[in-house]
Amino acid sequence: MINENTNSINPTALLPADEAFGLAIKEVENAIAKAPRVVRQYTAHLLSSRGKYIRASSLITCGQNEEGLVHPNTVKLAAAVEVLHLATLVHDDVIDDADLRRGEMTLQKKYGKRTAVICGDYLLCTSLVLAASISEKEKYLNMTLPDYAGKICTGELEQHINNFNLDLSIYQYLKIISGKTAALFEASFYAGAVLAGYDRKECNRYRRLGFYVGMIFQLTDDLMDFESTKEISLKPVQSDYEQGVITLPLIHTLKNMADFRQKAEKKDINRQEINTAVKHSGGLVFTKQIVDKYYKKAIKVINELSLDSVKKAKLTEVLNKASRLG
């Protein structure tokens, strides 16, 4: 509930989930717009493109009670998660030398890599400040957002270390994306559950659901690099291998096509050959099978949770968005 006299959030009154989501978006926009002037002249560019806020939506959905209400702290934490995600995107674009993100020119393309890295660092700090600004912090000491931030960083580093590693195993790759992508989803689901006041066992179910959703999100993104277009995805496609990133469809192909692997070892393959080999080897089908396994695990967890019909439908919608089914 908004205090009309101060235009601030009442720290004790519960909020409708939809209202909390809108307030979280405003928190993100305010955090960027109110940055120090030297930073704001660059980060303001990020406001020209808006993401889907799927992580914020997940946190708020997990935090809502049977009346569809959430604790006001969900607003700050949902915003913190999205700003942290934004920081990782800015850094990713530097690493990948990406020109396009969400249909707009990337920060590093517009202002240069050094500026983008520093702005990404500032966003990371802003995320932690937002997370630390919640009320009654002593109640949430076991919420490990900083640890999740560390998992994201180590996942990104593991990916970088394994650039062009043709021997990367399926297990190694799944471990990399469990940090690089799934960790922030896991944190979002877990934080929402903790704010909702669930016991540890139920919170861990939400945490597991977030992990599955995050894995699905990344593996579906891997498929899009082969199956989508820049116009649809609003970012570069057909570019993972060119950046040195070996994803699951290609790992499967390298394992099952000896002639293709030999050419890859000689760095004698082009994008068309990669696409043809991945399709011929069943790399896309194999990846979709892994996605389907995670999807079924996620549905199983949803069915194990104590949910009313509305919340169950919302969580299923989040799952379908991650798998691009909704």
Side-chain angles (χ1 to χ4, degrees):
M1 181 179 294
I2 298 294
N3 185 320
E4 295 180 358
N5 295 323
T6 63
N7 198 34
S8 62
I9 300 172
N10 186 325
T12 59
L14 298 181
L15 298 167
D18 290 343
E19 182 181 336
F21 181 68
L23 290 170
I25 293 175
K26 288 181 180 179
E27 283 279 358
V28 173
E29 292 174 345
N30 287 340
I32 294 173
K34 293 181 179 179
R37 187 161 57 90
V38 66
V39 178
R40 188 168 64 244
Q41 63 177 316
Y42 303 115
T43 56
H45 170 69
L46 300 172
L47 295 177
S48 61
S49 61
R50 178 180 289 186
K52 297 178 181 178
Y53 288 90
I54 187 172
R55 294 155 191 82
S57 175
S58 298
L59 191 154
I60 291 168
T61 298
C62 293
Q64 73 179 58
N65 63 20
E66 292 180 0
E67 286 75 42
L69 302 175
V70 299
H71 193 284
N73 280 336
T74 60
V75 172
K76 293 285 188 182
L77 280 180
V81 163
E82 285 296 337
V83 174
L84 175 56
H85 174 56
L86 192 56
T88 66
L89 295 184
V90 171
H91 285 157
D92 279 354
D93 290 338
V94 173
I95 294 170
D96 298 339
D97 197 27
D99 296 342
L100 194 69
R101 170 73 67 176
R102 296 172 176 171
E104 299 287 341
M105 189 182 298
T106 60
L107 203 63
Q108 71 94 21
K109 177 67 174 178
K110 189 174 179 68
Y111 297 112
K113 295 182 184 298
R114 292 184 180 182
T115 297
V117 168
I118 294 169
C119 288
D121 291 345
Y122 177 82
L123 290 170
L124 172 59
C125 295
T126 299
S127 169
L128 296 177
V129 169
L130 280 168
S133 69
I134 64 173
S135 63
E136 302 173 299
K137 289 186 282 291
E138 67 279 358
K139 290 173 59 176
Y140 312 116
L141 292 178
N142 61 342
M143 289 177 57
T144 52
L145 184 60
D147 291 337
Y148 281 116
K151 284 185 178 181
I152 296 166
C153 293
T154 54
E156 289 284 0
L157 182 58
E158 287 283 355
Q159 176 176 284
H160 175 68
I161 291 170
N162 283 285
N163 275 1
F164 294 111
N165 178 10
L166 303 183
D167 294 317
L168 189 67
S169 69
I170 293 172
Y171 172 80
Q172 287 174 307
Y173 181 68
L174 295 179
K175 186 173 182 295
I176 287 170
I177 67 172
S178 72
K180 183 177 89 80
T181 303
L184 195 51
F185 278 94
E186 190 177 329
S188 302
F189 279 68
Y190 179 55
V194 171
L195 287 168
Y198 294 120
D199 62 29
R200 185 175 295 275
K201 186 175 181 180
E202 191 79 344
C203 285
N204 283 332
R205 287 195 182 103
Y206 277 92
R207 186 206 298 262
R208 196 162 74 251
L209 177 59
F211 170 77
Y212 295 145
V213 169
M215 296 297 282
I216 289 168
F217 188 91
Q218 181 59 59
L219 290 169
T220 304
D221 201 61
D222 294 347
L223 289 167
M224 289 177 66
D225 190 63
F226 290 96
E227 297 181 321
S228 187
T229 65
K230 182 170 69 174
E231 289 72 26
I232 293 174
S233 63
L234 300 180
K235 65 178 183 178
V237 296
Q238 304 278 297
S239 62
D240 280 344
Y241 180 77
E242 286 73 8
Q243 301 297 337
V245 180
I246 309 295
T247 60
L248 193 58
L250 189 54
I251 291 171
H252 177 85
T253 303
L254 290 165
K255 183 179 178 181
N256 289 278
M257 293 186 67
D259 291 347
F260 176 77
R261 181 187 170 88
Q262 288 174 2
K263 290 197 69 176
E265 288 173 345
K266 297 176 182 177
K267 298 182 179 180
D268 186 29
I269 51 175
N270 57 41
R271 169 48 66 169
Q272 186 56 51
E273 288 175 310
I274 293 171
N275 290 348
T276 300
V278 166
K279 185 176 180 180
H280 180 72
S281 72
L284 299 179
V285 173
F286 174 75
T287 302
K288 289 174 183 177
Q289 289 172 342
I290 301 299
V291 169
D292 186 57
K293 287 181 180 179
Y294 280 120
Y295 188 91
K296 288 176 179 176
K297 288 181 178 181
I299 289 294
K300 184 174 184 293
V301 175
I302 289 175
N303 289 330
E304 291 172 353
L305 293 169
S306 301
L307 302 170
D308 60 85
S309 59
V310 173
K311 188 170 182 177
K312 184 174 184 178
K314 284 188 174 183
L315 285 174
T316 304
E317 182 182 359
V318 170
L319 173 61
N320 287 338
K321 282 183 179 178
S323 57
R324 280 53 163 197
L325 296 175

